[in-house]
Amino acid sequence: MSGNTQQSTNNRPAEIGALITRPRGYRVLRSAFALGRGRALDAELVARSGAASGDRVLDIGCGPGDLARALAARVGPAGEVVGRDPSPQMVAYAAARTKEPNCHFELGPAQTLDRADSSFDVVTCTFVMHHIPEAQREAALAHMYRVLRPGGRLLLADTHPTGRVLSGAIRVMSRFAARRTHDSAAGHHDDPLTAIDIRRYREPLSAAGFRSIEFATVPPIAGILLATKD
């Protein structure tokens, strides 16, 4: 979510973007913005992703691994979940907390994804796109398309708050996110929530080759785009 960048970040080259380096603090912040319903949010995201028993799933920007572990429970022992994040602290924290043998973590950003073509049934990328520098987002989406098998599904999610207080707080933090990721376009939006509105990726997803692109909300804080690779 946009608030992620309130946590400590390292100075990294623009091609990587902002890194979150305090997993515990991030989890507390995420829980607060989810109004204490973080597990329910993850469960709903898993359900919306369409992941099924035996699927291989890639969770890009996995953070502390909460969603990846929920996905691992859904796909079962015949399936596999790979969590990927550019923050060494997040990857180490996620790996240390994960007991599921079908859930693994790797270090790396979305825009230099080196997994094989058509190697995953589902790709998820939640509360991450606004951390990727603007100039690198099309490359990230192209990689997501490339690693999905034909008929595979993508779930993108970002903050889509309800309520005046929550929206106001996230507007402040989204301005900070724009500065941290060198996103000059986001920084110039009259309403900074536009910078994290997941609906802005409809056309880029279509250009990447995705079809059946649908928007939905997951209260209280998430908006999602679901798309399918032909």
Side-chain angles (χ1 to χ4, degrees):
M1 70 183 66
S2 178
N4 295 356
T5 51
Q6 285 285 329
Q7 302 304 318
S8 175
T9 57
N10 292 337
N11 291 325
R12 300 290 186 186
E15 64 269 14
I16 294 179
L19 298 187
I20 306 166
T21 61
R22 295 183 179 177
R24 290 182 179 84
Y26 166 77
R27 294 184 82 230
V28 170
L29 185 63
R30 185 178 187 268
S31 178
F33 274 93
L35 305 180
R37 292 182 282 179
R39 288 186 180 180
L41 174 62
D42 286 339
E44 185 64 19
L45 292 173
V46 168
R48 299 289 186 100
S49 75
S53 178
D55 279 351
R56 296 191 74 235
V57 182
L58 176 63
D59 182 29
I60 294 177
C62 64
D66 296 308
L67 180 62
R69 286 186 288 273
L71 286 161
R74 171 61 67 96
V75 302
E80 181 187 15
V81 176
V82 176
R84 181 180 176 92
D85 200 280
S87 168
Q89 293 88 346
M90 283 293 189
V91 170
Y93 182 88
R97 288 177 53 86
T98 300
K99 307 301 182 184
E100 294 82 357
N102 63 336
C103 188
H104 312 282
F105 298 92
E106 65 183 31
L107 183 67
Q111 57 269 39
T112 58
L113 184 58
D114 54 3
R115 288 280 175 159
D117 295 0
S118 304
S119 54
F120 291 94
D121 301 288
V122 175
V123 172
T124 58
C125 183
T126 62
F127 307 105
V128 172
M129 291 299 295
H130 64 271
H131 288 296
I132 301 171
E134 182 84 7
Q136 298 295 322
R137 292 176 192 171
E138 288 187 6
L141 294 175
H143 278 299
M144 295 177 203
Y145 183 87
R146 180 182 60 78
V147 302
L148 275 171
R149 63 165 177 78
R153 285 166 59 86
L154 170 69
L155 182 148
L156 291 183
D158 217 321
T159 308
H160 192 87
T162 57
R164 183 175 299 176
V165 174
L166 186 58
S167 296
I170 291 175
R171 280 187 173 90
V172 172
M173 285 187 264
S174 63
R175 289 191 179 96
F176 182 82
R179 290 197 299 272
R180 293 297 302 177
T181 59
H182 311 283
D183 187 348
S184 58
H188 286 94
H189 285 304
D190 292 334
D191 183 351
L193 283 181
T194 303
I196 57 173
D197 189 338
I198 206 68
R199 290 173 292 186
R200 68 189 295 218
Y201 299 106
R202 283 182 183 273
E203 290 187 9
L205 285 174
S206 180
F210 285 99
R211 300 294 179 262
S212 303
I213 302 166
E214 300 177 357
F215 172 76
T217 59
V218 181
I221 63 164
I224 63 173
L225 280 179
L226 295 168
T228 302
K229 178 177 179 176
D230 286 344

